[in-house]
Amino acid sequence: MVTHVLENSTPPIPLLRNGYSMFTRSELESKTIQELRDLCRRYGLKPTGNSGYKNSYIVSLMSFPAIALKQMEDGRGIKRLSFEAFQNIGAALDQINDPTDEQAALIKLTMEERRLRAPLSWEQQKLLNLYIAKQKLEEVMYLLGE
């Protein structure tokens, strides 16, 4: 659990010593301001202070992982699903059900780019889309169940 987050302009030392930084200070200090600016742009980060100083970029680059995890823990931005929402995904999977042998065969043919003529091709695509959605929901359940 992350217990510290940037409240002022410098990260607390425990964040740096406990593996919450993706970069080492020496790695970042060896870079030019332009390289640090490019790194911040790459990840969508802003410098914490005056953009004319390397330290403004270094602080942002070293502290963002801990801040991101603390925000999730606090329910800001991306957050964990409630138990009820998790159950609703399970209910949706139950409602979708598993394909019959014939549906599975048609799904396989569809994935091989074989199509029926319209208007049946539209229904064929709906079947494939539903199957793909089911797979993605199963993946969500697996990923969130850990």
Side-chain angles (χ1 to χ4, degrees):
M1 178 187 309
V2 178
T3 56
H4 294 91
V5 91
L6 255 187
E7 296 295 330
N8 48 19
S9 64
T10 58
I13 298 300
L15 290 179
L16 306 178
R17 293 193 178 147
N18 290 330
Y20 290 110
S21 181
M22 303 298 289
F23 304 99
T24 65
R25 182 168 283 278
S26 59
E27 172 187 10
L28 294 173
E29 286 176 347
S30 69
K31 296 188 180 301
T32 65
I33 289 179
Q34 183 60 48
E35 290 171 324
L36 292 168
R37 183 179 294 127
D38 291 344
L39 262 179
C40 281
R41 282 187 185 140
R42 177 179 182 175
Y43 299 110
L45 300 171
K46 296 179 181 106
T48 57
N50 185 328
S51 61
Y53 296 106
K54 287 173 73 169
N55 198 51
S56 295
Y57 295 101
I58 291 171
V59 168
S60 294
L61 289 163
M62 292 193 73
S63 62
F64 82 87
I67 293 170
L69 296 176
K70 179 68 172 137
Q71 289 167 338
M72 183 179 68
E73 181 181 306
D74 292 344
R76 292 178 48 215
I78 291 181
K79 52 191 168 214
R80 295 189 177 112
L81 287 180
S82 67
F83 182 70
E84 181 183 2
F86 192 76
Q87 283 183 313
N88 289 339
I89 294 171
L93 278 169
D94 289 344
Q95 187 174 351
I96 292 171
N97 208 357
D98 292 320
T100 64
D101 291 343
E102 293 78 12
Q103 289 170 334
L106 182 54
I107 289 167
K108 287 176 187 173
L109 275 170
T110 307
M111 293 173 99
E112 294 172 359
E113 302 297 324
R114 308 241 354 221
R115 302 282 176 196
L116 296 169
R117 291 189 185 151
L120 291 178
S121 62
W122 304 327
E123 296 302 314
Q124 179 184 11
Q125 189 62 46
K126 285 182 192 177
L127 176 65
L128 177 63
N129 292 345
L130 192 55
Y131 177 74
I132 291 169
K134 177 182 171 32
Q135 287 183 312
K136 291 185 182 293
L137 286 173
E138 287 171 340
E139 184 179 351
V140 166
M141 293 291 284
Y142 173 78
L143 291 173
L144 296 179
E146 292 182 359

